[in-house]
Amino acid sequence: MGQKLTIEPVTRVEGHGKVTIHLDDDNNVVQTRLHIVEFRGFERFIQGRPYWEAPVLVQRLCGICPVSHHLAAAKALDVIVGTGSEGLTPTGEKMRRLMHYGQMFQSHALHFFHLVSPDLLFGINARPEKRNVIEVAKEFKELAVQGVMMRKFGQEIIRATAGKKIHGTGAIPGGINKNLSIEERDFFVKGKDPLNIDKMIEWSQDALNLFKGYHKENRELVDTFAAFPSHHLSIVRKDGALDFYHGVLRAVDAKGDKILHDVDYQNYLDYIGEEVKNWSYMKFPFLKNLGTKNGWYRVGPLARLNTCDFIPSPLAQKEFEEFKAYTNGKPNNMSMHMHWARLIETLHAAEVMRDLLNDTDLQGRDLVTKGKKISEGVGVIEAPRGTLFHHYRIDKNDLISMCNLIVSTTNNNEPMNRAVRHVADAMISGQKSIKEGMLNAVEVAIRAYDPCLSCATHALGKMPLEISLYDKNENLLDLKTN
Amino acid sequence: MKKVLIFGYGNPGRQDDALGVLLADEMQKWARENNMESIDFDTNYQLNIEDALTISEYDMVIFADASIEQIDHIKLTRVESNQKTEFTMHAMSPDFVLHLCQSLYNKYPETYLLHIKGIEFELEEGLTTNGETNLNLAFDFLVNAFGRSNFPKDILDRHCIEQKGAINAKP
C-alpha cells in the first residue's frame, strides 16, 4: 500500500514545519516536501508606521533572532536617511558590529552545543530520549556548561549593545543610541573566568576540535549525508573577506565560478526573484539570470565560506584554509559540513568581538549621522542562518508604504527540500519498516540549516508534536501526538 | 537573605503574549517602591539554556508566561524537573530549564510557574481587556504573597495544593 508519512512538527526546529514523505506500494520514495507555515503578515502590518519605528517593530517578528531583523531594518533606514551603510560614524558601525557578532556567536553556540551535539555524541540512531541536551549534560557535563556560558556571553553582548534583551533599541536610522562604557567593556574583557572573551575563543577552538574528531571517525557519514551540489549566496566584503554585517552580494556555483559578481544589494530585485508554489506557504527565491528551475541557492555558514575568499581573523583563517583544502579549494557541497563552517564562524565571531572590545572607538560619543533623505532603502545582513533582506519605501509623510522581507530560512527553502529528498532516498526508500532513527535522519538534514520559523508567540500549551500516516489515497492510517 | 527571581517571558509586540513580561515589569516597580531588595527580575522572549545558570543563583524562581490553557484567569503550579524534549529547542519550558539547572549546577531552586490566561496574540501592542484583568489578578496575587513574606514558599505551596493552582482569591 502506498503511504504518506508525515513528521509534524520537526523536532528541535523552531516554528511550524512538517515533512511529508510519499511512498509507493514498494516503499520507494516518490516525493518529499518540507511544508512550512511562514508568517507573512508582518509586511502589511508595518505599512503606515513611521519609518524610524521599524528597527524596534521588526523584532516582533521573531524571538529567536530579533537582532538580525533589528540591524537589517536599521541598515535599510540608513539608506533612507541619507547615511548609507558606509556613512556611519566609527562608533556607530562598530557598536552594531559588536551586537551582530555577539548574536552570531550565541546563536551558533546554541545550535551546535544543544541542537547538534546530541546527534554527534550519541548518534542519529540513538533513542529520541537520548538525543537532547540533558543527556549531554549527564555524560559530557563540561561541554554542556561551555555551551551555556558561550550562549550567555553572546546574550550579554547583545544586552550591552542593544540596550536590553527584549525589543532592543541600540540601532537607529543613521547610527546607534549608545556607546559601550568602560565598565561594560571590562566585564567582557576582564570578566571573572570563564565569562571573558579569551575563554570564549578557547572554547570555540575546542568545539571545532570536537567536530573535527567526530568527522575523522565518521567521515563517510559526514561527507555523504544529504550532500548535493548547489549554488551558494551571501554578502562578502568588497575585498572578498567574510563579513556578517556588510558587503556586496556574491554567488558562486557548485564548481566555484561566480554567477553573481559582487553587486550592490540595493538592486537585489534585479537579481533575485521569489517563486510561489501551490503546496507551500513559503516562497522559493532564485537567481533571475538562471531562472526558477536552476537559480536556487544555499545561504548560511556553508554558503558564506564558499563565497568568501578569506576570513579576516587569524585563527579562523587558519581553520578556513583547512576547510578549503578538504575540497581542494572548490565549494563544499556537503550539508553536514554546515556544522564545520558554523564552528569556524563561531571562532571568527569571537576573534572579532575581542578586537572590537579593545577598540576605543566603542567609547566614542559621535553616534549618529544624517544626510539627504530619500524614499527607499534596502538593508542586507548575514544572519546566523543566512542572508536576510529588508526593503522599505516611505511616503511624503515619512510613513512606510511598502515592506518586503526575504528571511534566511526562505532563502534555504529549496535546499532544505532537496536535503530531505536526498536523505529519504538514501535511508527510507525500499525499507519495509520506518524506524525512528531514519525519521530523525530527515530531521538531522533539516537541522543542518538551523531553520528558524518562529512567529514569536509561544504561549503555554501551544506546541503539540503530531505524526500522521496516510495511504496513497490520502486516507489517514495512523496519528500520534506527544 | 534568600534570593528570589521573578522571570517573565513572551513577546510584548504580540498582544497578550506580553503578560509575563508586563507582570515582571509591574512587580519590579512595586519591589522598588517597597524596598524589596531580595527580589530580582528578568525578562526575555523565551526561556533558553543560559537561564539554567541564571536560576541556579536563586533560592526561589517564579516564571510568568501567557497561557492559552483552559483556565479562567490565572493559575500557579510548582515546576518539577522534567527533561521531556519539546519539538522546539530554540526555546525551552520552565521544567526543562530546571532540569538543566539541576544537571549542570546541582541546584534546585523552589520554582513556580504563573500561568496568565491570554486571549489574543496578534501583531499589536497592548493587552486585551481580559488580558489586562488577568494581569491585575496576577499582580495582586504576588503582591499579597510577598507582602506577607519575603520568601513565601509556604504560601505558594499551600495555594498550589489547596486551590489546585487556580487563583480566584487572594492567597
Side-chain angles (χ1 to χ4, degrees):
Chain A
M1 179 185 292
Q3 296 177 350
K4 181 175 82 172
L5 179 71
T6 304
I7 311 167
E8 181 185 24
V10 179
T11 56
R12 278 185 276 161
V13 171
E14 188 57 42
H16 301 81
K18 66 176 181 178
V19 172
T20 56
I21 304 170
H22 298 255
L23 306 176
D24 64 14
D25 290 343
D26 298 321
N27 291 324
N28 293 312
V29 175
V30 293
Q31 184 188 69
T32 62
R33 282 173 173 172
L34 172 62
H35 304 259
I36 292 169
V37 181
E38 185 187 30
F39 187 75
R40 302 287 297 181
F42 186 82
E43 291 160 331
R44 285 193 298 277
F45 160 78
I46 201 169
Q47 288 177 17
R49 304 294 292 252
Y51 72 83
W52 54 84
E53 291 183 354
V56 175
L57 287 176
V58 292
Q59 294 174 78
R60 296 181 188 189
L61 269 169
C62 179
I64 307 302
C65 50
V67 171
S68 298
H69 290 294
H70 180 55
L71 289 174
K75 287 185 70 181
L77 297 176
D78 292 341
V79 177
I80 285 177
V81 300
T83 304
S85 292
E86 292 163 12
L88 269 58
T89 67
T91 304
E93 182 182 332
K94 288 174 183 176
M95 281 292 288
R96 286 193 191 179
R97 281 185 178 274
L98 182 59
M99 186 194 309
H100 189 39
Y101 281 72
Q103 176 203 214
M104 194 70 81
F105 183 77
Q106 59 88 23
S107 178
H108 280 4
L110 175 71
H111 184 264
F112 179 74
F113 284 97
H114 298 280
L115 306 185
V116 173
S117 73
D119 291 332
L120 301 188
L121 296 168
F122 304 124
I124 63 174
N125 291 317
R127 291 174 288 115
E129 58 269 27
K130 189 76 177 173
R131 297 191 310 265
N132 65 69
V133 65
I134 295 294
E135 293 300 317
V136 174
K138 286 178 184 171
E139 297 190 28
F140 305 91
K141 187 171 182 176
E142 187 179 350
L143 189 72
V145 168
Q146 287 178 12
V148 168
M149 297 301 284
M150 290 170 74
R151 164 93 179 169
K152 185 173 179 65
F153 188 89
Q155 287 278 301
E156 293 302 324
I157 287 280
I158 292 169
R159 191 207 299 260
T161 50
K164 50 186 179 175
K165 286 196 285 190
I166 296 182
H167 290 184
T169 56
I172 58 177
I176 199 92
N177 71 0
K178 77 181 285 289
N179 65 8
L180 194 74
S181 70
I182 296 292
E183 292 75 23
E184 287 170 326
R185 181 200 66 188
D186 287 349
F187 174 82
F188 299 111
V189 175
K190 302 175 183 175
K192 184 181 174 186
D193 198 51
L195 206 59
N196 60 62
I197 187 61
D198 290 333
K199 184 61 76 177
M200 296 301 119
I201 292 172
E202 180 187 324
W203 283 351
S204 300
Q205 292 176 293
D206 291 345
L208 252 170
N209 290 331
L210 174 70
F211 176 84
K212 288 195 285 190
Y214 177 82
H215 185 200
K216 192 174 179 181
E217 293 176 6
N218 300 274
R219 200 170 295 278
E220 185 177 349
L221 173 69
V222 174
D223 289 358
T224 60
F225 188 91
F228 55 91
S230 74
H231 307 316
H232 302 271
L233 179 141
S234 78
I235 57 172
V236 296
R237 206 167 71 185
K238 282 182 177 174
D239 62 357
L242 177 71
D243 195 322
F244 302 147
Y245 177 72
H246 187 60
V248 290
L249 276 175
R250 176 186 288 184
V252 299
D253 65 16
K255 295 178 180 175
D257 294 329
K258 281 186 189 175
I259 50 177
L260 192 59
H261 295 262
D262 298 3
V263 299
D264 183 351
Y265 61 65
Q266 294 302 315
N267 306 315
Y268 78 104
L269 287 175
D270 293 341
Y271 310 106
I272 294 172
E274 291 182 275
E275 184 188 16
V276 175
K277 296 188 180 183
N278 60 9
W279 56 268
S280 176
Y281 288 97
M282 194 157 76
K283 293 179 181 176
F284 288 76
F286 62 96
L287 292 168
K288 286 183 174 177
N289 60 337
L290 298 177
T292 54
K293 187 177 179 183
N294 298 316
W296 61 276
Y297 52 83
R298 279 193 261 209
V299 299
L302 191 67
R304 287 191 285 258
L305 295 204
N306 283 330
T307 54
C308 77
D309 299 325
F310 66 98
I311 297 181
S313 65
L315 296 174
Q317 170 63 17
K318 190 177 173 193
E319 297 290 342
F320 177 69
E321 289 167 6
E322 183 180 338
F323 178 85
K324 294 298 284 187
Y326 195 74
T327 53
N328 298 315
K330 295 294 183 185
N332 185 325
N333 290 294
M334 294 170 263
S335 290
M336 291 293 276
H337 286 218
M338 193 94 74
H339 303 315
W340 191 0
R342 191 175 283 112
L343 290 168
I344 294 172
E345 288 193 338
T346 307
L347 176 59
H348 174 57
E351 289 186 282
V352 170
M353 284 193 292
R354 177 200 56 204
D355 295 345
L356 286 168
L357 287 166
N358 287 296
D359 190 328
T360 55
D361 278 343
L362 288 183
Q363 282 76 52
R365 296 186 177 184
D366 192 6
L367 305 182
V368 182
T369 52
K370 288 277 167 68
K372 185 179 179 184
K373 196 164 67 183
I374 60 175
S375 62
E376 187 168 359
V378 178
V380 176
I381 202 162
E382 284 298 325
R385 293 156 188 85
T387 316
L388 170 65
F389 296 77
H390 275 227
H391 180 188
Y392 302 94
R393 274 191 216 115
I394 64 170
D395 63 19
K396 60 184 179 183
N397 297 314
D398 287 342
L399 303 178
I400 293 171
S401 58
M402 189 283 296
C403 166
N404 186 47
L405 310 178
I406 307 177
V407 303
S408 314
T409 297
T410 302
N411 280 310
N412 271 330
N413 195 0
E414 179 66 25
M416 287 192 294
N417 272 278
R418 297 213 174 214
V420 169
R421 180 60 194 257
H422 275 261
V423 172
D425 280 342
M427 301 191 71
I428 293 179
S429 259
Q431 301 294 313
K432 291 181 180 177
S433 62
I434 299 166
K435 297 183 174 65
E436 163 61 30
M438 295 164 70
L439 294 178
N440 191 51
V442 173
E443 297 175 2
V444 167
I446 298 169
R447 277 203 297 275
Y449 294 83
D450 193 19
C452 172
L453 308 157
S454 171
C455 59
T457 56
H458 68 282
L460 289 163
K462 231 188 170 181
M463 295 179 173
L465 172 66
E466 183 176 297
I467 300 176
S468 306
L469 187 67
Y470 299 85
D471 66 16
K472 67 180 177 183
N473 296 318
E474 303 292 323
N475 296 314
L476 184 65
L477 300 174
D478 195 10
L479 175 70
K480 289 186 173 64
T481 57
N482 66 351
Chain B
M1 183 187 299
K2 289 188 174 179
K3 292 175 63 181
V4 177
L5 175 68
I6 296 178
F7 194 137
Y9 57 101
N11 187 337
R14 304 295 299 264
Q15 290 185 287
D16 291 343
D17 203 32
L19 282 164
V21 173
L22 291 176
L23 177 65
D25 290 345
E26 291 299 313
M27 284 301 298
Q28 186 167 19
K29 289 179 199 166
W30 176 83
R32 280 182 187 157
E33 290 167 3
N34 292 276
N35 300 315
M36 301 287 286
E37 295 176 355
S38 62
I39 311 177
D40 287 339
F41 298 87
D42 202 351
T43 56
N44 210 336
Y45 292 102
Q46 66 275 311
L47 302 179
N48 217 306
I49 55 172
E50 66 273 18
D51 298 316
L53 173 61
T54 301
I55 70 170
S56 74
E57 297 164 357
Y58 291 90
D59 302 292
M60 177 188 286
V61 177
I62 300 174
F63 290 113
D65 189 16
S67 172
I68 60 167
E69 298 161 301
Q70 293 299 314
I71 57 175
D72 288 336
H73 300 288
I74 55 180
K75 186 170 102 173
L76 183 76
T77 53
R78 270 203 75 101
V79 175
E80 304 296 342
S81 173
N82 187 341
Q83 78 172 79
K84 183 184 176 192
T85 307
E86 298 168 321
F87 92 82
T88 170
M89 292 268 290
H90 282 127
M92 292 179 173
S93 65
D95 47 358
F96 196 95
V97 171
L98 181 60
H99 195 103
L100 192 57
C101 172
Q102 186 181 21
S103 299
L104 293 181
Y105 305 107
N106 201 28
K107 296 285 180 63
Y108 204 101
E110 306 289 344
T111 307
Y112 304 87
L113 174 59
L114 192 50
H115 313 234
I116 312 172
K117 178 78 172 179
I119 314 300
E120 298 287 343
F121 296 85
E122 297 304 317
L123 269 172
E124 293 177 23
E125 277 186 350
L127 299 175
T128 61
T129 303
N130 287 339
E132 185 88 40
T133 299
N134 296 338
L135 174 64
N136 291 334
L137 275 170
F139 177 76
D140 289 345
F141 173 76
L142 288 185
V143 164
N144 197 299
F146 282 98
R148 293 160 62 183
S149 169
N150 287 337
F151 193 78
K153 176 182 180 307
D154 292 343
I155 297 170
L156 299 181
D157 282 346
R158 193 164 59 244
H159 193 90
C160 288
I161 295 168
E162 292 177 357
Q163 304 293 326
K164 294 183 179 176
I167 297 167
N168 295 307
K170 291 176 180 175

